[in-house]
Amino acid sequence: MPVYPNRIDSKLPNVGTTIFTVMSRLAQEHNAINLSQGFPDFDCAPKLRELVTKYFNAGLNQYPPMAGVMALRERVAEKAAALYGTAYDPEHEVTIVPGATYGIFTAVTAFVRPGDEVVLFEPAYDSYAPAVEVNGGKPVYVRLRYPDFSIDWQAVRRAITPKTRMIVINTPNNPTASVFSAEDMRGLESILRDTGIVVVSDEVYEHLIYDGCRHQSVARFPGLAERSFVVSSFGKTYSVTGWKMGYVIAPKELMAEFRKVHQFNVFVTNGPLQHVLAEYMQDKDAYLSLAAFYQRKRDFFIDALRSSRFRVLPSRGTFFQNLAYDAITGEKDTELAVRLTKEKGVASIPLSVFYHDGHCDKVLRFCFAKSEETLAKGAEILSGI
Ligand code: PMP
Ligand code: GLN
């Protein structure tokens, strides 16, 4: 008799399948243009594939060091020093991880105890709240101000209590495509001064930032860097989201706690791919040219939408373009996203899924990490709605 399943008391009773899986599957079923889940529809650089062949044939197929291959940790530290002006020690302060999702989860697990509060900005990337909850923590939400998704720092101040253990930030931001300014970062720095609050800074879109905006890494701000985990992903930067490779940077004392969990969670990250990335990172242009590459895609998509009734919201970073549809229909965004996929053949992500209470501003998120052909087709369909 299957008695046991009836006794399962889920640690995540409200969690289903992620919206990205749901929408990509629906797009496939209906042969729709998939502008939902964030991933490129073009391949990575040929050089990167060549390096894969080289290093998988180089006899490096056993466990690498727990914290990562030193050459790659050194390249990551050099990049942080060159771009954000902060020296991190590759020995103790850089860890190579199997993707940013893992990096965030492990940082949360290393610090959040049952009953701890973690401040999240909403709309929030969907992995944050479950990572907190499965560790017994309580997400405390601060809603960004629509339509510019700016931060109400007074609301952040009010959200912080003696139980606040952590705050998770994400700039450039998924799903809003907004970016934090230097003033925002100084605001956060001043709020956190004299507290023991740890920051997890999700910077996976650090190189995808437009219109001359500068990426405001926590690493630039000493009062933040001293308490922060910087998390990034090679998947976004090198168009290899399926590799699941990323890195985490943090001051030594924080990183020591991170590695205690890391060594029993995954132990090590894929070895040969670390060698590949270490060599590829020597070419700085590969990440420095990304902003211009994606800005052209954003502008191409926006231009192709000029006769559309969708309203184009600002996209200052990430590879997402949000479109408001309040002039078109009063439908809930989740319903519209499904309907557009099934009936019109274009898939998107409804923004309300990134709010714990399903708050809906009537906005859909479209990924423009696609070929111009795909973007043109998608925009043509949208322009007819
Ligand atoms: N954070 C944000 C904001 C993301 O958009 C994504 C993925 N698209 C991730 C984390 C996860 O990155 P990874 O695939 O390296 O786990
Ligand atoms: N981060 C990507 C997005 O926002 C998807 C990653 C995933 O499927 N979990 O679309």
Side-chain angles (χ1 to χ4, degrees), residues 256-283:
E257 294 305 312
F258 180 96
R259 288 183 183 173
K260 286 181 190 174
V261 179
H262 171 71
Q263 66 184 342
F264 296 117
N265 199 5
V266 70
F267 178 44
V268 294
T269 301
N270 185 304
L273 289 180
Q274 294 191 53
H275 291 281
V276 171
L277 291 164
E279 183 169 339
Y280 196 63
M281 272 192 92
Q282 289 171 7
D283 175 11

Side-chain angles (χ1 to χ4, degrees), residues 305-341:
L305 286 166
R306 64 194 173 281
S307 64
S308 157
R309 291 160 71 210
F310 284 94
R311 193 169 71 258
V312 174
L313 299 180
S315 171
R316 304 251 177 269
T318 74
F319 43 39
F320 301 116
Q321 176 62 57
N322 287 311
L323 299 179
Y325 62 84
D326 44 346
I328 300 174
T329 169
E331 273 169 283
K332 174 122 210 246
D333 59 357
T334 42
E335 284 158 26
L336 183 63
V338 169
R339 196 165 68 78
L340 291 184
T341 308

Side-chain angles (χ1 to χ4, degrees), residues 20 37-39 97-104 124-128 169-175 202-205 231-236 240-247 318-320 365:
F20 309 116
Q37 193 176 20
F39 64 88
V97 295
T101 313
Y102 169 95
I104 294 159
Y125 184 61
D126 69 340
S127 83
Y128 304 159
I169 63 170
N170 170 218
T171 183
N173 185 268
N174 179 11
D202 179 348
E203 304 188 12
V204 301
Y205 299 103
V231 182
S232 197
S233 171
F234 295 108
K236 314 286 157 187
V240 287
T241 59
W243 285 15
K244 293 304 297 186
M245 296 288 287
Y247 61 85
T318 74
F319 43 39
F320 301 116
R365 191 199 81 176

Side-chain angles (χ1 to χ4, degrees), residues 191-384:
I191 287 176
L192 298 184
R193 192 168 297 135
D194 302 325
T195 75
I197 297 171
V198 171
V199 175
V200 170
S201 184
D202 179 348
E203 304 188 12
V204 301
Y205 299 103
E206 62 184 318
H207 303 299
L208 279 62
I209 185 158
Y210 314 125
D211 306 321
C213 291
R214 187 168 132 114
H215 172 54
Q216 299 299 343
S217 173
V218 284
R220 286 189 196 281
F221 301 84
L224 292 175
E226 66 179 12
R227 61 175 75 242
S228 294
F229 286 97
V230 180
V231 182
S232 197
S233 171
F234 295 108
K236 314 286 157 187
T237 302
Y238 295 140
S239 302
V240 287
T241 59
W243 285 15
K244 293 304 297 186
M245 296 288 287
Y247 61 85
V248 176
I249 317 178
K252 189 175 174 180
E253 294 73 18
L254 295 185
M255 189 55 91
E257 294 305 312
F258 180 96
R259 288 183 183 173
K260 286 181 190 174
V261 179
H262 171 71
Q263 66 184 342
F264 296 117
N265 199 5
V266 70
F267 178 44
V268 294
T269 301
N270 185 304
L273 289 180
Q274 294 191 53
H275 291 281
V276 171
L277 291 164
E279 183 169 339
Y280 196 63
M281 272 192 92
Q282 289 171 7
D283 175 11
K284 298 184 176 57
D285 195 50
Y287 52 83
L288 295 177
S289 63
L290 263 190
F293 172 79
Y294 274 114
Q295 184 168 325
R296 278 196 299 277
K297 291 206 176 287
R298 180 201 65 175
D299 292 345
F300 179 88
F301 188 50
I302 293 175
D303 187 54
L305 286 166
R306 64 194 173 281
S307 64
S308 157
R309 291 160 71 210
F310 284 94
R311 193 169 71 258
V312 174
L313 299 180
S315 171
R316 304 251 177 269
T318 74
F319 43 39
F320 301 116
Q321 176 62 57
N322 287 311
L323 299 179
Y325 62 84
D326 44 346
I328 300 174
T329 169
E331 273 169 283
K332 174 122 210 246
D333 59 357
T334 42
E335 284 158 26
L336 183 63
V338 169
R339 196 165 68 78
L340 291 184
T341 308
K342 289 183 176 171
E343 295 176 12
K344 304 287 180 185
V346 61
S348 58
I349 297 289
L351 242 64
S352 67
V353 301
F354 301 104
Y355 291 89
H356 73 289
D357 57 1
H359 174 81
C360 178
D361 286 312
K362 300 195 171 63
V363 177
L364 298 176
R365 191 199 81 176
F366 294 83
C367 175
F368 57 76
K370 308 292 170 189
S371 69
E372 287 196 353
E373 193 191 347
T374 312
L375 292 174
K377 275 193 212 152
E380 193 186 336
I381 297 173
L382 294 171
S383 299

Side-chain angles (χ1 to χ4, degrees), residues 102-124:
Y102 169 95
I104 294 159
F105 189 90
T106 302
V108 171
T109 302
F111 282 86
V112 173
R113 294 184 171 85
D116 283 350
E117 293 178 357
V118 177
V119 175
L120 304 178
F121 293 97
E122 273 195 325

